[in-house]
Amino acid sequence: MRYMISSFLLALAFAFPMAGAHAAEAPEAEVQAEAPASPFMIEKAVLRPTIGPVRRSAGYFTLHNHGEADRLIGAELEGAGSVELHTHIKEGEVMKMRRIESADVPANGMLIFKHRAHHLMIFDLEGPLEDGMSVDGALIFEKAGHVPVTFSVMTPDLSGGAQKGEGMKHHGSGH
């Protein structure tokens, strides 16, 4: 009988340190599972206000990439039916807007979405976009996935792609 009790106590002594070791490992496993910080900083994220009953808009931003090359493949915006990547091309003397499937983001470089160049087209808005509003969304990258961004609604300065206000600056690592 003493042998059985001793064996039982010995088994318990080995079981509890093992359970403690697994509990100590759990936080490390959670930390390892967290997504890495995004290499992107997004600034001057602006949407044009809508006019009257029109339920579409355009979006502009400057994207700074502090990492490896990637490709912008889409975007999402709260309250929008769809968001497309577009660009302007010149055919003869006529400028035409065209949908594009993606835009390359160079390593340690930048990508600018502005008037009469690459830009976002936002369709089927649930409601109007008015000056002073902000709208949450995400840019979608081939490698980095979804990077959150908040757009300011304001009339952009269309002369050179710069915005009338500073817009909002966003790091892709948690906004």
Side-chain angles (χ1 to χ4, degrees):
M1 176 82 154
R2 274 187 189 195
Y3 176 74
M4 287 175 44
I5 293 173
S6 296
S7 296
F8 177 74
L9 291 174
L10 186 60
L12 283 177
F14 283 114
F16 284 113
M18 297 294 259
H22 289 297
E25 290 175 14
E28 290 178 32
E30 290 175 18
V31 170
Q32 291 175 3
E34 287 181 13
S38 169
F40 301 115
M41 184 182 78
I42 304 161
E43 62 180 0
K44 300 178 185 173
V46 174
L47 298 175
R48 294 180 78 166
T50 54
I51 300 171
V54 174
R55 293 294 179 243
R56 66 181 170 266
S57 182
Y60 313 106
F61 57 88
T62 299
L63 175 71
H64 298 274
N65 181 7
H66 301 289
E68 66 180 72
D70 205 337
R71 179 172 290 146
L72 179 65
I73 58 172
E76 297 174 344
L77 189 68
E78 280 186 12
S82 65
V83 180
E84 297 177 357
L85 307 178
H86 280 230
T87 195
H88 276 87
I89 58 170
K90 190 171 185 178
E91 288 183 357
E93 296 298 314
V94 179
M95 290 294 288
K96 295 184 178 184
M97 184 173 57
R98 293 282 187 250
R99 182 177 181 185
I100 57 174
E101 296 300 316
S102 64
D104 290 330
V105 183
N108 298 306
M110 62 190 245
L111 176 64
I112 299 173
F113 269 48
K114 63 183 182 177
H115 181 65
R116 296 203 178 266
H118 286 338
H119 60 279
L120 299 177
M121 284 302 301
I122 297 96
F123 298 99
D124 302 322
L125 287 161
E126 291 175 357
L129 295 178
E130 299 172 352
D131 273 314
M133 292 175 67
S134 61
V135 183
D136 290 329
L139 300 180
I140 306 167
F141 297 89
E142 191 171 76
K143 295 176 187 172
H146 287 66
V147 175
V149 61
T150 300
F151 289 88
S152 297
V153 179
M154 66 176 62
T155 303
D157 175 5
L158 302 178
S159 63
Q163 312 312 328
K164 283 186 177 178
E166 274 300 303
M168 299 183 92
K169 291 185 180 179
H170 302 281
H171 296 275
S173 58
H175 284 277

